[in-house]
Amino acid sequence: MAAEHLDRLRREGRITIVGASLAGLRAAETLRAEGFAGELTLIGDEPYEPYDRPPLSKSVLLGRADPHRTELPRRRETDATWRLGVTATGLDLTAGRVRLSDGDEVEYDRLLIATGVRARPWPKESEARLDGVFLLRTRDDAAGLYQRLRSGPRRVFVIGAGFAGCEVASACREQGIQVTVAERAGAPLVGALGGVVGAVAADLMREHGVDLRTRVTVTALEGDATGRVRAVHLSDESVVEADVVVVSLGSQRNTEWLDGSGLGAGPRGIACDAGCRAFDFRGIVTDDVFVAGDVARSPHALFEYQFLSLEHWGNAVAQAETAAHNMICDGADRRPHLWMPAFWSSQFGVNIKSVGVPPMGEELMITQGSTAERRFVGVYGHKGRVVAAVSFDNTRWLEFYQRAIERGAPFPPEYPTMDRRAENRHPVPADFPDPSLPTHGPMVTLSGWSPADTQLVFHPARH
Ligand SMILES: Cc1cc2nc3c(=O)[nH]c(=O)nc-3n(C[C@H](O)[C@H](O)[C@H](O)COP(=O)(O)OP(=O)(O)OC[C@H]3O[C@@H](n4cnc5c(N)ncnc54)[C@H](O)[C@@H]3O)c2cc1C
């Protein structure tokens, strides 16, 4: 009976994917590659074909790539109905139906949710509307910001020194544009990589001429009589004149459209099991709703089965492939999503790459090179085992540490390593901020063990 049902689903079932970007596209391609012959519908609120986001804060801002030519390469022809420029506004789990902003409804036998995240906006709406204030998530955002950078601004002000904020600052400096970066924590990248590595990033930024202000928050954006931003006010009472402001305060999961649907969805994302099946709000797993990409929270065996929310390109691809496979399989043919978190960035001429879950580490050991030279590998430890590694211009070692994480290798590493320096014989505290405090985009968020957890709310600083 179950085999017959599955066979029918594969031949003539209806699969709907909400979110037509990286995860949505790769899932659609995988479904067809694995023999799904039924009706496939993709719903995406952006008017564009799926495009790539990493270039938006890198080559696009440098004028090396056209923001309107960053479409994702297609792996194969994929027969599907694309409903672009249409937002999913609601989900009826019992009827198996998605409601759309144009009043239409789409029925499904299996649903994949891949609605990703959006940039967290500046909380004061009238200030956010000032001309010259930008977010950076979409290709329109990048096109607008690039145009403004080309027009020769006197100073760009970046609010938030997570990866995206740092990459924007780097692109500005590379073009000779004056830039100030304000960060609530003591250094850039602290939420993602901790204070020790953050201090290296701070030095790097300052050496490249960035006016970096730490342990401050922005209290107000000031506009001129024509509605253009002209200055930024800070919590230390200083005022910086700037004609472009980039708000880089991390992201918000696109889950509001699921309010009241009964799914386990909230500000941390949509909880799913290791097979990408969504949980409902009671913590009971569904069998026809799947999740993939930035919007998903999924447990990982290597990291104490904690739910991880990852904003990583590679995770979106791998999870989409696993979800698509599991949507049209059953029982033992299903496979778990056990992707090793991995992230890259390039800024100020340095390639930064991490594997594993750095924010889980209490301790850090520099195993190769030195932070002073900005060429090193740092290994993070949690309860006596290796959980993550980061490299600055030293990528070739990361695969080795990835294997160490997979094996649960002991921390601190017991073996001698090449290029190990005398001053780095002992681990130091990795110096992550209190995880209950919001940071500007850690990219890997450990979000507890409860599939029904919807408790986290972001509170902007009060002044
Ligand atoms: C500027 C920038 C730089 C980045 N750089 C890197 C990098 O260097 N390395 C790295 O690993 N990752 C990087 N990333 C992250 C990477 O791009 C994401 O992990 C990836 O895009 C996630 O894909 P996704 O399909 O899950 O989500 P998204 O790409 O966010 O796509 C979700 C889609 O769903 C749509 N949607 C949302 N709600 C609805 C709804 N209700 N109805 C219909 N459609 C909806 C959204 O508009 C969007 O089109 C970067 C991201 C940005 C923005």
Side-chain angles (χ1 to χ4, degrees):
M1 186 63 192
E4 225 174 83
H5 177 74
L6 196 62
D7 195 45
R8 219 166 73 221
L9 172 78
R10 293 173 69 96
R11 266 188 292 113
E12 55 194 51
R14 297 159 305 175
I15 294 188
T16 297
I17 299 176
V18 182
S21 180
L22 178 61
L25 174 65
R26 294 296 179 240
E29 290 169 338
T30 306
L31 284 165
R32 290 299 189 214
E34 297 206 7
F36 175 66
E39 247 175 69
L40 183 56
T41 307
L42 282 104
I43 298 156
D45 61 2
E46 294 186 79
Y48 307 114
E49 301 256 312
Y51 59 87
D52 213 11
R53 295 184 202 273
L56 302 182
S57 53
K58 304 173 183 76
S59 46
V60 165
L61 294 188
L62 291 169
R64 293 184 193 140
D66 180 340
H68 296 293
R69 302 305 305 272
T70 59
E71 288 86 6
L72 284 161
R74 300 291 176 103
R75 289 178 175 171
R76 50 173 291 131
E77 277 296 308
T78 300
D79 175 27
T81 305
W82 292 80
R83 304 196 57 166
L84 299 178
V86 180
T87 306
T89 52
L91 171 65
D92 184 335
L93 276 180
T94 318
R97 207 180 286 142
V98 176
R99 283 188 294 280
L100 304 183
S101 52
D102 62 5
D104 214 351
E105 295 188 331
V106 179
E107 294 189 339
Y108 64 82
D109 299 305
R110 293 268 193 277
L111 172 69
L112 176 69
I113 302 176
T115 46
V117 304
R118 62 184 181 279
R120 178 176 285 126
W122 182 244
K124 298 179 191 170
E125 276 176 37
S126 58
E127 296 177 6
R129 278 197 301 271
L130 289 170
D131 184 25
V133 177
F134 291 89
L135 297 171
L136 184 52
R137 180 78 199 170
T138 67
R139 75 193 225 180
D140 290 340
D141 295 338
L145 179 56
Y146 172 62
Q147 281 309 326
R148 207 47 80 83
L149 297 185
R150 293 235 332 152
S151 69
R154 277 172 303 140
R155 178 169 295 273
V156 174
F157 195 106
V158 181
I159 311 176
F163 275 108
C166 291
E167 288 177 2
V168 172
S170 173
C172 288
R173 291 307 302 138
E174 208 168 310
Q175 295 168 91
I177 301 168
Q178 297 300 320
V179 57
T180 299
V181 176
E183 167 58 45
R184 178 203 304 254
L189 306 181
V190 159
L193 299 173
V196 176
V197 179
V200 182
D203 288 347
L204 190 64
M205 271 188 150
R206 289 189 170 118
E207 266 170 32
H208 281 80
V210 176
D211 168 30
L212 174 65
R213 319 262 179 120
T214 56
R215 300 197 196 286
V216 286
T217 53
V218 171
T219 53
L221 306 179
E222 184 188 323
D224 64 15
T226 66
R228 285 192 73 144
V229 70
R230 59 168 298 274
V232 178
H233 294 247
L234 296 162
S235 53
D236 62 3
E237 315 234 305
S238 58
V239 179
V240 178
E241 286 192 12
D243 35 15
V244 176
V245 172
V246 182
V247 178
S248 190
L249 294 173
S251 53
Q252 293 175 310
R253 263 104 197 133
N254 292 320
T255 55
E256 293 83 352
W257 68 282
L258 296 163
D259 286 353
S261 68
L263 273 193
R268 293 175 180 218
I270 306 166
C272 61
D273 72 357
C276 311
R277 293 180 302 179
F279 283 104
D280 72 13
F281 75 102
R282 301 162 302 174
I284 297 177
V285 78
T286 61
D287 205 32
D288 54 355
V289 181
F290 291 71
V291 198
D294 284 9
V295 78
R297 292 173 64 212
S298 56
H300 201 303
L302 285 175
F303 305 103
E304 301 177 343
Y305 287 98
Q306 250 198 95
F307 284 89
L308 299 184
S309 307
L310 300 170
E311 292 176 48
H312 293 177
W313 192 97
N315 179 65
V317 174
Q319 198 166 23
E321 290 167 349
T322 303
H325 171 84
N326 291 347
M327 285 171 98
I328 51 170
C329 282
D330 230 349
D333 291 336
R334 284 189 168 157
R335 53 174 200 245
H337 173 59
L338 288 177
W339 188 75
M340 172 68 70
F343 181 85
W344 80 92
S345 170
S346 64
Q347 44 187 277
F348 305 105
V350 173
N351 275 312
I352 303 176
K353 193 163 178 201
S354 82
V355 289
V357 182
M360 198 172 184
E362 297 95 27
E363 292 183 296
L364 173 76
M365 188 155 184
I366 303 300
T367 52
Q368 266 97 9
S370 89
T371 52
E373 290 164 20
R374 316 276 150 67
R375 191 165 186 281
F376 65 92
V377 178
V379 176
Y380 295 84
H382 170 67
K383 294 187 183 164
R385 67 182 191 89
V386 174
V387 289
V390 63
S391 68
F392 272 47
D393 271 346
N394 218 336
T395 310
R396 69 199 169 107
W397 287 102
L398 281 205
E399 206 180 318
F400 172 79
Y401 289 108
Q402 178 169 333
R403 304 284 163 254
I405 299 164
E406 285 164 357
R407 283 197 328 269
F411 180 90
E414 287 161 341
Y415 38 82
T417 50
M418 252 180 61
D419 199 20
R420 179 81 152 265
R421 309 292 170 82
E423 70 272 20
N424 294 329
R425 290 205 194 289
H426 301 288
V428 294
D431 194 18
F432 280 96
D434 177 348
S436 66
L437 294 173
T439 54
H440 300 155
M443 311 304 281
V444 187
T445 311
L446 291 154
S447 60
W449 286 268
S450 167
D453 193 338
T454 57
Q455 299 303 307
L456 185 87
V457 181
F458 178 78
H459 295 290
R462 270 186 277 277
H463 300 285

Short mmCIF file of all heavy atoms in Angstrom, two decimals, residues 60 258 291 420:
data_model
loop_
_atom_site.label_atom_id
_atom_site.label_comp_id
_atom_site.label_asym_id
_atom_site.label_seq_id
_atom_site.Cartn_x
_atom_site.Cartn_y
_atom_site.Cartn_z
N VAL A 60 30.02 42.35 -7.03
CA VAL A 60 29.05 43.33 -7.53
C VAL A 60 29.39 44.73 -7.02
O VAL A 60 29.38 45.70 -7.79
CB VAL A 60 27.60 42.93 -7.13
CG1 VAL A 60 26.64 44.10 -7.32
CG2 VAL A 60 27.14 41.72 -7.94
N LEU A 258 3.57 31.77 8.03
CA LEU A 258 3.13 30.49 8.59
C LEU A 258 2.43 30.66 9.94
O LEU A 258 2.02 29.67 10.55
CB LEU A 258 4.34 29.57 8.75
CG LEU A 258 5.01 29.19 7.42
CD1 LEU A 258 6.40 28.65 7.65
CD2 LEU A 258 4.14 28.20 6.67
N VAL A 291 11.58 21.21 4.87
CA VAL A 291 12.21 22.53 4.99
C VAL A 291 13.66 22.44 4.52
O VAL A 291 14.32 21.42 4.76
CB VAL A 291 12.24 23.03 6.45
CG1 VAL A 291 12.45 24.53 6.51
CG2 VAL A 291 10.99 22.65 7.21
N ARG A 420 53.57 25.29 13.74
CA ARG A 420 53.04 25.60 15.08
C ARG A 420 54.04 26.52 15.78
O ARG A 420 55.24 26.24 15.79
CB ARG A 420 52.88 24.29 15.85
CG ARG A 420 52.37 24.42 17.28
CD ARG A 420 50.85 24.59 17.27
NE ARG A 420 50.26 24.08 18.49
CZ ARG A 420 49.76 22.86 18.62
NH1 ARG A 420 49.81 22.00 17.62
NH2 ARG A 420 49.23 22.48 19.74
#
